Amino acid sequence: MGKILSMRNYLVILLLFILGSCSEMEEKRVFSTVKIETIYTDSLSFRAIEIMDGGNMAFAANKGAFGLVDLRSNKVRVNTQKYDSILPEFRAVAQNSTDFFMLSIGNPALLYKTGDQGNMELVYKEEDEKVFYDAMTFWNDQEGIAVGDSMDGCLSIIITRDGGNSWKKIPCSSLPKSETRRGPLRPVIPT
C-alpha cells in the first residue's frame, strides 16, 4: 500500500509541476511580423516534432514516416518504420541525450527508440482496441513518461527508468479514476 500511495503522490506532484511550469512560461511576447517558409512538401501529416540539440528538428508522422530536418540547411531526411504490414500513425516524440523516441496511436501502440545500429528498435507494444498514446517526454536521461487517453476509467501511463530501453505500464490500481468523456470535444469560442 505504501508503494501505491507514494506512486500516486509522485504522479500528483509531477502533474502539478508540469502545470505549474507551463503557467510560469506565459511570458507575453509581441510579434510584429511572422515569416512562414516552406521547407518540405509531401502528403505526410506531421503530428509530432522535437527540436534536437545541434539545430535539428526531428518529426514523426502518419504512414510510418519519421525523419530529421537540418534547420540550418533545410535538408530533410525521411524514413519509414513498418510493423508487420502496418504503417504506424506516430503522434508523440521525445529525446534524451542518446536516443530519439516515437510513439504511435491506435492498436497496437508501438514505441520505438533509435537503436545501436542506427535502426529503430521496438521497446514497447500494447494491444487493446482503445489504446491511444499521444504525449511523451523525458525529464532526465533515464526517466520518461508517455500518457494516453483514458481506457475504461483509467489513465494510460507508461514510464521508463532505464533510459527508454524498457517501459512499464502503471496499473489502474495505482492511479486515480479518470472521467469518461461524453461526446465530441467542442472548442470554446470567445464572444
Side-chain angles (χ1 to χ4, degrees), residues 30-92:
V30 177
F31 293 94
S32 58
T33 62
V34 175
K35 180 180 174 187
I36 298 174
E37 180 181 341
T38 301
I39 296 173
Y40 181 69
T41 303
D42 198 321
S43 63
L44 297 174
S45 176
F46 288 49
R47 295 300 180 108
I49 60 172
E50 178 88 7
I51 303 299
M52 311 282 278
D53 296 336
N56 293 314
M57 180 185 76
F59 65 86
N62 64 333
K63 300 178 186 178
F66 67 99
L68 197 65
V69 178
D70 182 325
L71 296 175
R72 292 176 300 257
S73 68
N74 291 343
K75 183 177 179 183
V76 179
R77 292 182 287 171
V78 180
N79 207 337
T80 302
Q81 183 63 51
K82 201 172 191 179
Y83 178 79
D84 291 331
S85 62
I86 299 169
L87 288 173
E89 302 285 327
F90 293 111
R91 187 66 57 91

Side-chain angles (χ1 to χ4, degrees), residues 1-9 11 151-157 168-178:
M1 182 70 174
K3 268 189 163 179
I4 292 172
L5 186 57
S6 66
M7 180 56 82
R8 282 186 183 161
N9 290 341
L11 286 173
M151 293 173 30
D152 301 320
C154 177
L155 289 173
S156 296
I157 299 176
K168 182 179 177 189
K169 186 162 186 167
I170 297 176
C172 290
S173 59
S174 298
L175 296 169
K177 287 274 187 205
S178 64

Side-chain angles (χ1 to χ4, degrees), residues 90-123:
F90 293 111
R91 187 66 57 91
V93 294
Q95 71 171 6
N96 61 19
S97 67
T98 58
D99 292 297
F100 170 72
F101 298 83
M102 56 190 189
L103 180 59
S104 72
I105 59 170
N107 187 22
L110 304 167
L111 194 151
Y112 289 91
K113 77 176 209 62
T114 49
D116 296 334
Q117 307 300 318
N119 297 319
M120 298 304 285
E121 294 176 1
L122 183 65
V123 291

